[in-house]
Amino acid sequence: MTSHTSDSPFRTAVVPAAGLGTRFLPATKTVPKELLPVVDTPGIELIAEEATEAGAGRLAIITSERKVGVMAHFSEDAVLEGTLEDRGKDVLLHKVQRAPGLIEVVDVRQEEPLGLGHAVAQVEDVLGAEEEAVAVLLPDDLIMPFGILRQMSEVRREHGGSVLCAFEVDPDNVSSYGVFEVEDTSDATVKRVRGMVEKPAAEDAPSNLAAAGRYVLDRAVFDALRRIEPGAGGELQLTDAIDLLIGEGHPVHVVVHEGTRHDLGNPGGYIKACVDFALDNAAYGDDLRGWLTERLGS
């Protein structure tokens, strides 16, 4: 089991996984979307790997009564492991043992679906008094290559406060995202955040930098979450809490991610992620590349 590294500003990484996965119905009627495999590895395991690589020692998965299977993925299965060992299937044995050994996992229940802010607020009670920050990783967003959380941690060490991840989008697509109002710093990949606009029209967007699902949040966010008002649908929005902190002078920065982002929460993005991962997989890449070339050529 990996332990928290001292150079990380957070011990706990939070993964909100209580949603219904409506964009993926009917598949998610019985299978949590976080368990859908990217090639042969569930998305939630990739998220756990990313958190571990960034120095987290614990994964707090926010679940609901319908999503207990997400936690089960991180449990040992003695019968399955014994069968694989007896049959000499060492490669498969290693694969099924990987998730339980990655990181300490705790189950945090969200009894009602009252928004991302409400989900994150549930984690406060499981944090130790010494934990001054937490990471939040949205499982729909697959950010590659790993490393963005370490960059964000370095920015927090330099500037304090909270740090978010951003990526550049085509101006015609900004209305699909939360968009940052920013000012430059001495580092071209780091911006100071002055505000955030949810799904603006292209002509009203303050920038072309959109929010990706990675956050390193100062513990002050929990106090802010207690003070904001519910928005549409009675939900508490994490962005509203961050906006409140910005208004009170709390430093908030974004790191502009220059790699790849896949949206695992909808079928189109999920397919792209699977193809991307398979092309980089020694077992499948060459065959898939040849098939794609033939298929697209026809």
Side-chain angles (χ1 to χ4, degrees):
M1 186 77 65
T2 301
S3 60
H4 169 56
T5 58
S6 59
D7 63 339
S8 174
F10 53 85
R11 173 180 177 239
T12 301
V14 180
V15 182
L20 297 177
T22 52
R23 291 187 294 171
F24 240 116
L25 287 171
T28 48
K29 180 180 177 181
T30 54
V31 179
K33 65 179 177 180
E34 294 81 10
L35 294 182
L36 296 176
V38 180
V39 184
D40 60 356
T41 304
I44 190 67
E45 186 173 327
L46 295 174
I47 294 293
E49 180 183 358
E50 181 183 358
T52 302
E53 190 275 342
R58 178 171 64 172
L59 200 68
I61 303 180
I62 303 166
T63 66
S64 65
E65 187 176 345
R66 294 171 56 93
K67 304 292 283 289
V68 293
V70 176
M71 293 300 300
H73 182 68
F74 293 93
S75 299
E76 294 180 353
D77 187 330
V79 174
L80 175 60
E81 292 175 20
T83 300
L84 293 173
E85 186 173 13
D86 291 344
R87 295 178 180 178
K89 296 185 179 295
D90 295 339
V91 173
L92 290 178
L93 177 62
H94 173 72
K95 286 184 176 183
V96 301
Q97 289 176 331
R98 181 172 178 268
L102 266 177
I103 192 171
E104 175 192 352
V105 178
V106 295
D107 187 0
V108 178
R109 289 297 177 94
Q110 184 186 23
E111 300 300 336
E112 296 181 84
L114 296 178
L116 177 59
H118 180 265
V120 172
Q122 308 309 303
V123 178
E124 185 176 18
D125 289 342
V126 305
L127 298 181
E130 77 287 354
E131 296 186 69
E132 297 180 354
V134 296
V136 177
L137 297 83
L138 303 191
D140 281 358
D141 286 321
L142 185 57
I143 310 293
M144 299 299 294
F146 292 161
I148 189 65
L149 281 171
R150 285 198 178 274
Q151 290 179 253
M152 294 162 66
S153 296
E154 291 168 6
V155 172
R156 174 178 157 86
R157 274 192 290 273
E158 181 177 353
H159 297 286
S162 298
V163 185
L164 287 63
C165 178
F167 64 102
E168 294 183 355
V169 296
D170 188 290
D172 292 337
N173 296 328
V174 292
S175 61
S176 299
Y177 300 97
V179 179
F180 295 108
E181 179 185 351
V182 299
E183 63 182 37
D184 290 340
T185 70
S186 58
D187 185 337
T189 64
V190 178
K191 311 291 183 183
R192 175 94 184 223
V193 180
R194 292 304 184 190
M196 191 170 179
V197 182
E198 280 294 334
K199 299 181 179 179
E203 61 272 18
D204 298 326
S207 74
N208 69 333
L209 294 178
R214 298 294 181 273
Y215 308 77
V216 174
L217 299 175
D218 189 271
R219 193 166 180 146
V221 73
F222 294 106
D223 177 64
L225 286 167
R226 284 189 288 272
R227 292 187 286 130
I228 61 172
E229 296 294 328
E235 295 188 345
L236 290 175
Q237 299 300 333
L238 184 59
T239 52
D240 289 343
I242 294 170
D243 272 338
L244 176 60
L245 292 175
I246 292 170
E248 294 177 347
H250 178 96
V252 176
H253 291 79
V254 294
V255 175
V256 181
H257 177 59
E258 297 178 338
T260 301
R261 171 188 176 270
H262 290 298
D263 182 0
L264 298 183
N266 76 78
Y270 173 78
I271 291 167
K272 292 175 185 176
C274 290
V275 171
D276 207 6
F277 268 65
L279 287 172
D280 286 338
N281 188 302
Y284 313 113
D286 290 344
D287 181 64
L288 177 61
R289 191 171 286 105
W291 180 84
L292 284 171
T293 300
E294 179 181 345
R295 180 71 175 84
L296 294 173
S298 65

